[in-house]
Amino acid sequence: MALPIQQQARIWAIIAVVTFVLLWLLGDVILPFLVGGALAYLLDPVADRLERLGLSRAMSVAVIALGVVLIFAAAVLLLIPTLIRQTSQLVQTAPELFSGLRDWLAARFPDVMDESSTIRGQLDAIGAAIQARGGEILNGLLTSAMGVINLLVLFVVVPVVAVYLLVDWDRMVARIDELLPREHAPTIRQLAREVDRTLASFVRGQGLVCLILGTYYAVALALVGLNFGLVVGAIAGLVTFIPYVGALVGGVLAIGLALFQFWGEWVWIGAVAGIFVAGQMIEGNILTPRLVGSSVGLHPVWLLFALAVFGALFGFVGMLVAVPIAAMLGVFARFGIARYQESALYQGTATAMPPPVSPPPSPASDKTRPEDAWRGN
């Protein structure tokens, strides 16, 4: 006998609440497993493509792991030390930057920037706070024993989890497909395909956009000769997944540093500004349309709201799961709106349109794999 829809909804609501409570209680303990699972999800299409080229699943994972190790080793040897050094220098230079800004304002607005001015006091306080807090954070990350242990655990556990999940990914998806409630399995598969398509378009595509733009900003600013160009490029690329925010934050930071470094040399200041104008044009006209697409369904405001809410509730772990959960909620919301528009509640006294009939599950003789039925591409 089938369970009433109200009882089914109650059971799934309890499961969702328990999941969120566990996420909140476990906190940073599950961080390596979440990161490992995310890496396995991102790399699964690469493993599938290598399998289609004739490699076994284990060999495909081994090739991917070797490539990731080489890329990581190159980053550790070439980029990360420079990035840490420039970040530390930027933190130490912040009071001097704010002092220069204060002197510039004092020269042009003497009445506003006198000794008792609130604005002058705030600028001094901000510069001192950045130096103090930034130094504390860097020293804590680099010298704290617990921080080093956590970092080592992250670098050890994440690759192991990612490799094991990547090897068994197709089997896990097939097992989950077997556990779906038979009455709703076609609908759940349809929603899973839409979620996968949204995540694939946004996370994988936007990740490439962030990497390309971050590299472009860092290289271009270094060629111009801007101090801390690598840090500015990394920051701009990191937040590029929010439209316009990456260019805005990176542009303001870079132009501010350029004004301090190249004051009076307007050509170089204009070159720094032109780098971000060109980057924004490349992102909007070439990278985003080709790598992300126009029908992802994640509005920037909705994404910002999800990051703020989950970050406040669950900390850094919440920010990691904010994007996939936002994508899932967006798909569920569109599904619910479509069902509402087909119902008598929306259409009134008119005859409600029957919901679309999902195709029956493929027969056992069909060679389509369960993981392909979940995948949006």
Side-chain angles (χ1 to χ4, degrees):
M1 179 178 178
L3 290 175
I5 188 65
Q6 293 84 358
Q7 189 170 352
Q8 294 184 38
R10 191 179 302 115
I11 292 174
W12 288 114
I14 293 173
I15 294 175
V17 170
V18 170
T19 301
F20 277 98
V21 170
L22 288 176
L23 185 65
W24 180 69
L25 291 176
L26 293 177
D28 294 338
V29 175
I30 62 173
L31 177 60
F33 301 93
L34 289 177
V35 176
L39 288 176
Y41 170 77
L42 293 175
L43 295 174
D44 177 62
V46 180
D48 290 341
R49 182 165 298 182
L50 291 176
E51 281 190 283
R52 288 193 292 270
L53 293 177
L55 298 179
S56 64
R57 185 70 179 188
M59 185 60 66
S60 301
V61 174
V63 171
I64 293 173
L66 179 61
V68 171
V69 168
L70 293 177
I71 294 173
F72 179 76
V76 169
L77 294 175
L78 301 176
L79 296 179
I80 294 180
T82 305
L83 184 61
I84 293 176
R85 184 176 65 254
Q86 288 195 7
T87 303
S88 178
Q89 292 174 353
L90 180 59
V91 169
Q92 297 299 323
T93 310
E96 184 180 353
L97 297 176
F98 278 94
S99 176
L101 176 61
R102 182 195 61 195
D103 295 340
W104 182 83
L105 291 174
R108 286 156 180 79
F109 307 100
D111 295 335
V112 178
M113 295 297 296
D114 58 15
E115 293 294 335
S116 59
S117 171
T118 303
I119 297 178
R120 181 167 183 168
Q122 288 297 322
L123 289 175
D124 292 339
I126 290 173
I130 290 178
Q131 185 181 27
R133 297 298 181 184
E136 290 176 6
I137 292 173
L138 287 176
N139 290 333
L141 289 176
L142 297 176
T143 62
S144 170
M146 186 57 66
V148 173
I149 292 174
N150 291 337
L151 192 62
L152 290 176
V153 169
L154 192 65
F155 282 129
V156 171
V157 175
V158 167
V160 173
V161 172
V163 167
Y164 275 107
L165 291 180
L166 193 56
V167 170
D168 295 329
W169 190 267
D170 293 342
R171 286 194 291 270
M172 289 190 303
V173 173
R175 180 57 179 163
I176 293 173
D177 187 80
E178 293 175 359
L179 296 176
L180 295 178
R182 296 296 93 185
E183 180 182 1
H184 305 294
T187 302
I188 295 175
R189 293 192 190 105
Q190 176 188 351
L191 292 175
R193 284 193 297 268
E194 294 181 11
V195 170
D196 178 74
R197 182 167 56 248
T198 300
L199 285 179
S201 299
F202 186 84
V203 177
R204 294 172 185 144
Q206 196 64 56
L208 284 176
V209 172
C210 292
L211 180 61
I212 293 172
L213 282 180
T215 304
Y216 160 74
Y217 288 138
V219 173
L221 293 175
L223 292 176
V224 170
L226 182 70
N227 293 333
F228 317 115
L230 183 60
V231 177
V232 175
I235 294 174
L238 186 63
V239 295
T240 296
F241 70 95
I242 307 174
Y244 306 109
V245 173
L248 180 62
V249 172
V252 170
L253 183 58
I255 293 174
L257 292 172
L259 289 173
F260 178 78
Q261 180 180 346
F262 302 123
W263 181 256
E265 302 179 29
W266 303 109
V267 173
W268 295 113
I269 297 174
V272 172
I275 288 172
F276 282 88
V277 172
Q280 190 63 31
M281 294 177 61
I282 294 172
E283 176 194 0
N285 297 318
I286 300 176
L287 296 179
T288 299
R290 295 193 177 187
L291 297 178
V292 180
S294 58
S295 59
V296 174
L298 282 178
H299 194 277
V301 176
W302 171 238
L303 186 61
L304 280 172
F305 178 76
L307 287 170
V309 170
F310 284 93
L313 291 177
F314 307 111
F316 183 69
V317 175
M319 297 186 70
L320 286 179
V321 301
V323 171
I325 292 181
M328 293 173 60
L329 293 179
V331 170
F332 296 158
R334 291 191 291 271
F335 176 79
I337 290 173
R339 289 296 182 268
Y340 162 69
Q341 290 178 329
E342 295 166 355
S343 68
L345 180 63
Y346 172 77
Q347 299 186 13
T349 57
T351 304
M353 296 174 58
V357 179
S358 301
S362 301
S365 60
D366 194 350
K367 296 183 179 180
T368 301
R369 301 180 302 172
E371 59 271 16
D372 293 332
W374 285 58
R375 194 167 291 140
N377 46 5

